């Protein structure tokens, strides 16, 4: 005999779907990813010196990072971090070692936050424009490969771990589809998956509340932010718009506008099944969202979605690219 509990459980999943003639949506995998680097224009708009010292994290950024990790873990998830190698030049990395010990993965974000698509020396990174002797005699491709390699070496020496995947500094609307040479370089360094694609979408005029056009464009971009495999086997796990930098630097948005856009985007992915890869930067979020509202909201949405969504990391997502 069916108990009331059995009946209710059945009625809300299989039976309800069958009655409506619909397939239940695939479980949505949700990753919260934070890039550990300092961000131009934060904490104050005129701050640009970080361009030359991306890894010189300030205390506020480190505190925010640790508390964000604690909150997501309390919800049964992890944060997937990507660190620039210069973080490991700081005297003390105990705060990051504790985060790793709590089970949060840390991936490679290059040593100096270099543009992996650069083909001219001046396109690589600000630091090398000011101090060109650091890369003298090397081709951009050699500089970039070495910059990825030494980030892992630093991580190994300071944290005792290998990187959990690779994320390109900056996102590219088509990922690395047109750069098989860069894909091959990363595969040669041992990476099986990367995160480089950030689909194009509207942001609206700076300082203006996003209208329906902008929000629709962000929701529509979720379809282009689904994981896939490049022809030579490397897996891409894109970033899901809108990022904090896109909203607060690009759009000069207010926090409530950002929360609304992220909520609409995540809800739309949960409704259809797929992957959502939130991209944030503690160096920006501590300024614009000091109460962790974005991260708490994502955790709450996933919790309320029950069996339809789960918090995970990019490594787990990369095991099952959809295409
Ligand atoms: Zn970055």
């Amino acid at each position: 005999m069916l108990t009331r509990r059995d009946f209710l459980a059945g009625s809300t999943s299989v039976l309800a779907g069958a009655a409506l003639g619909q397939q239940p949506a695939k479980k949505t995998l949700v990753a919260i990813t934070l890039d550990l680097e300092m961000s131009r224009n934060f904490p104050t708009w005129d701050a640009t010196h970080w361009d030359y010292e991306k890894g010189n994290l300030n205390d506020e950024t480190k505190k925010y990072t640790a508390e964000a990790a604690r909150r997501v873990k309390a919800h049964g998830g992890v944060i997937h971090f990507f660190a620039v190698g210069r973080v490991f030049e700081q005297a003390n990395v105990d705060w990051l070692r504790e985060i790793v010990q709590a089970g949060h993965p840390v991936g490679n974000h290059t040593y100096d936050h270099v543009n992996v698509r650069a083909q001219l020396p001046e396109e690589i990174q600000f630091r090398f424009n000011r101090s060109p002797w650091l890369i003298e005699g090397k081709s951009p491709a050699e500089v970039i490969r070495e910059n990825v390699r030494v980030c892992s070496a630093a991580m190994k020496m300071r944290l005792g771990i290998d990187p959990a995947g690779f994320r390109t500094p900056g996102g590219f609307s088509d990922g690395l589809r047109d750069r098989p040479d860069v894909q091959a370089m990363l595969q040669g360094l041992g990476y099986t998956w990367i995160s480089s694609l950030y689909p194009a979408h509207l942001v609206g005029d700076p300082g203006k509340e996003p209208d329906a056009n902008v929000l629709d464009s962000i929701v529509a971009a979720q379809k282009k932010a689904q994981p896939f495999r490049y022809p030579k086997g490397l897996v891409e796990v894109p970033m899901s718009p809108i990022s904090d930098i896109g909203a607060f630097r690009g759009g000069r948005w207010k926090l409530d506008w950002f929360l609304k856009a992220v909520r609409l985007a995540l809800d739309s992915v949960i409704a259809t099944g797929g992957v959502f890869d939130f991209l944030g930067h503690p160096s920006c979020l501590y300024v614009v969202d000091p109460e962790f509202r974005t991260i708490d909201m994502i955790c709450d949405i996933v919790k309320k979605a029950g069996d339809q969504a789960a918090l995970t990391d990019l490594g787990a997502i990369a095991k099952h690219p959809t295409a």
Side-chain angles (χ1 to χ4, degrees), residues 206-228:
K208 190 169 163 258
E209 182 168 2
D211 59 15
N213 258 347
V214 170
L215 295 172
D216 287 350
S217 156
I218 290 168
V219 166
Q222 304 309 315
K223 286 195 182 64
K224 292 183 197 144
Q226 298 306 310
F228 63 90

Side-chain angles (χ1 to χ4, degrees), residues 35-39 54 82 84 109-110 113 167-171 245 279-281:
D35 292 356
L36 301 180
E37 62 183 83
M38 293 309 292
S39 302
K54 291 290 285 178
F82 291 91
V84 292
H109 199 42
T110 78
H113 209 257
R167 168 168 283 158
T168 57
I245 292 293
L279 165 61
H281 301 73

Side-chain angles (χ1 to χ4, degrees), residues 17-46:
L20 295 168
Q22 295 168 341
Q23 291 291 324
K26 250 174 67 184
K27 180 179 266 196
T28 293
L29 299 178
V30 180
I32 297 174
T33 71
L34 298 180
D35 292 356
L36 301 180
E37 62 183 83
M38 293 309 292
S39 302
R40 166 193 270 254
N41 303 131
F42 299 95
T44 55
W45 199 252
D46 60 356

